[in-house]
Amino acid sequence: MRRPWIVGVLLAGLLLGACGDPASGPEQSPPDPALPTAAASPTTTTRQRPAASPTAATTPTTADAAAKAPTVLYLGDSLAMESQKVLGQSLREQVNARYTSAPYSGTTLCDYLEGTGERSLVPPTDKAAALVRSLRPDFVVLQFWGNSWGYTPCMDGITYDKEPATYFKRYAADMRRLTEQIADAGGARRPRIIWVSQGPDPITPERIRTVNALYAARAAASHDLVADAGRTVSPATARYTWAQYLPCTTYEHDHPSYCTQPGRDRTALHRDDDYLHFCLAPTTSTPKPCPVRSPGIARITREITRVIADHVG
């Protein structure tokens, strides 16, 4: 039985709203208690370009460290929008990364393709290839839930519920085109693409399973990488079973603000009114990075950071 139409309308609203700060809340995300040396986050913008870490006097050791510090570009939809500050902080702390994020809520892969013109929700200056040419990143992290109801015009009205086979064929084709455009823009310094796998979807679980399989196949075909972040927000024995709460991890026990219900040894991944996003602040109409500590975002960004750290050098 197909999901009721009202669910699609609700989901579209959630994706468009992303996970912003509450109207009366702060515009800056709090520093992670696990990263005590982190500076306060800069003022929130859609396109975040934090400065590189402060420069010390040049010595052979610091020169070597600077040479190994990766440049990371983070693109995606509302899931990337809500996570961008936390990922940037994690990457700067763990691998001294130079980091840029340019997510747009409600988008999918075709929005970041050059040549989509007015049918895209992403402006020309923030297309993936344009940013690769200007920033020369070592890694391009792509996090897309897989816009499935055709909100963005560049999907040409193709939706999963009406045309699942066409939807997947188009999604795979867009993955290939985006990979080619990023590779061409990088030239001799082609960046490594990291496809971020998605967590369970209670409405269309098989769609997410197939989307993640497409990410893995694309990464293998082009010698790129997958960060299985979706696994970190899934039950240990049921990768595609959605859960609002999961047992607290060792990290969350060590950093109690991330174990939201310590008495029950479990933590919240989603709000009661939003099964898709991981920000525990209310969704608003103005997409912004998540302003509160949220265990699901921390889990996802820690896994992306781990994959990058494993391939730096």
Side-chain angles (χ1 to χ4, degrees):
M1 179 177 178
R2 296 190 188 279
R3 64 184 185 279
W5 68 268
I6 189 64
V7 174
V9 174
L10 174 61
L11 295 187
L14 290 174
L15 190 59
L16 282 175
C19 190
D21 57 342
S24 60
E27 287 197 0
Q28 297 183 356
S29 58
D32 190 325
L35 306 172
T37 61
S41 299
T43 301
T44 299
T45 58
T46 300
R47 182 169 171 178
Q48 181 195 19
R49 289 194 175 187
S53 301
T55 332
T58 302
T59 65
T61 301
T62 57
D64 290 345
K68 294 179 181 178
T71 300
V72 180
L73 174 61
Y74 184 38
L75 307 176
D77 55 21
S78 59
L79 295 177
M81 174 65 75
E82 68 180 0
S83 301
Q84 61 181 312
K85 280 192 174 181
V86 179
L87 179 60
Q89 180 179 308
S90 176
L91 287 170
R92 288 191 294 271
E93 288 293 320
Q94 298 300 317
V95 294
N96 194 33
R98 294 174 178 270
Y99 172 79
T100 300
S101 60
Y104 286 84
S105 295
T107 58
T108 193
L109 298 171
C110 59
D111 287 291
Y112 282 90
L113 288 168
E114 291 189 320
T116 48
E118 294 180 355
R119 296 187 305 117
S120 171
L121 302 180
V122 175
T125 54
D126 283 352
K127 299 294 190 182
L131 290 174
V132 168
R133 284 191 291 268
S134 63
L135 299 171
R136 316 302 294 177
D138 300 296
F139 297 95
V140 178
V141 181
L142 301 174
Q143 182 166 11
F144 292 91
W145 178 76
N147 188 323
S148 61
W149 52 81
Y151 170 75
T152 178
C154 67
M155 280 297 289
D156 301 318
I158 298 170
T159 60
Y160 170 76
D161 60 340
K162 294 180 180 178
E163 305 172 87
T166 304
Y167 166 81
F168 289 128
K169 183 177 180 180
R170 171 63 184 273
Y171 206 74
D174 286 345
M175 290 177 65
R176 184 177 64 255
R177 287 181 63 200
L178 193 57
T179 298
E180 291 169 351
Q181 288 191 3
I182 290 171
D184 290 344
R189 287 193 55 193
R190 181 213 192 272
R192 202 90 181 265
I193 297 171
I194 299 176
W195 298 94
V196 180
S197 73
Q198 298 309 304
D201 176 356
I203 305 300
T204 58
E206 290 306 312
R207 184 189 66 83
I208 287 293
R209 188 191 298 269
T210 302
V211 165
N212 285 346
L214 290 174
Y215 289 155
R218 181 71 260 159
S222 54
H223 306 287
D224 287 311
L225 303 168
V226 172
D228 193 5
R231 174 186 52 80
T232 70
V233 290
S234 306
T237 58
R239 173 63 175 84
Y240 289 98
T241 299
W242 184 88
Q244 183 176 4
Y245 300 91
L246 286 180
C248 294
T249 64
T250 300
Y251 175 87
E252 290 158 356
H253 284 304
D254 292 342
H255 305 90
S257 59
Y258 287 98
C259 186
T260 62
Q261 296 183 4
R264 303 177 70 176
D265 190 27
R266 71 178 194 175
T267 198
L269 301 181
H270 305 276
R271 290 172 52 83
D272 292 342
D273 57 356
D274 186 348
Y275 80 80
L276 172 58
H277 298 101
F278 295 92
C279 183
L280 298 184
T283 299
T284 64
S285 60
T286 303
K288 293 182 180 178
C290 185
V292 300
R293 293 188 181 99
S294 300
I297 290 176
R299 290 182 180 209
I300 288 168
T301 55
R302 281 167 55 81
E303 178 61 17
I304 296 171
T305 300
R306 184 196 66 76
V307 170
I308 291 175
D310 286 348
H311 292 85
V312 169

